[in-house]
């Protein structure tokens, strides 16, 4: 995980919100970046604070798009 954080810190990326869906304490955000990468995030919100978050995107495409070395754990 620390390798992933290090590589992402070196990346240049802009996320543009495509849509946000809400249902009581839950929200889903779909996003894209200008280079074509797409992803989504899931958020559990209580009392105005995010208490849980999980996101999904194509990590291999991300590293290749950014010109970063692909970590071994993404290839296996």
């Amino acid at each position: 995980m620390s390798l992933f954080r290090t590589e992402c810190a070196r990346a240049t990326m802009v996320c543009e919100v495509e849509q946000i869906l809400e249902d009581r304490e839950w929200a889903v955000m779909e996003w894209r970046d200008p280079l074509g990468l797409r992803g989504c995030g899931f958020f559990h919100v209580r009392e105005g604070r995010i208490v849980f978050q999980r996101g999904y995107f194509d990590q291999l495409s991300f590293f290749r798009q950014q010109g970063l070395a692909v970590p071994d754990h993404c290839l296996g």
Side-chain angles (χ1 to χ4, degrees), residues 57-72:
F57 63 96
D58 181 347
Q59 291 182 11
L60 184 57
S61 293
F62 170 77
F63 285 113
R64 288 182 175 159
Q65 180 187 78
Q66 296 291 319
L68 300 171
V70 178
D72 290 338

Side-chain angles (χ1 to χ4, degrees), residues 5-47:
R5 285 189 188 120
T6 300
E7 294 302 322
C8 285
R10 294 183 357 195
T12 301
M13 188 173 160
V14 175
C15 291
E16 299 172 353
V17 176
E18 293 224 310
Q19 69 174 321
I20 296 177
L21 306 170
E22 298 176 51
D23 184 21
R24 293 182 290 274
E25 292 185 345
W26 286 90
V28 178
M29 178 184 68
E30 184 180 10
W31 57 267
R32 65 177 174 81
D33 79 345
L35 299 175
L37 189 66
R38 300 177 68 85
C40 62
F42 298 83
F43 304 86
H44 189 186
V45 180
R46 286 192 184 146
E47 298 177 8

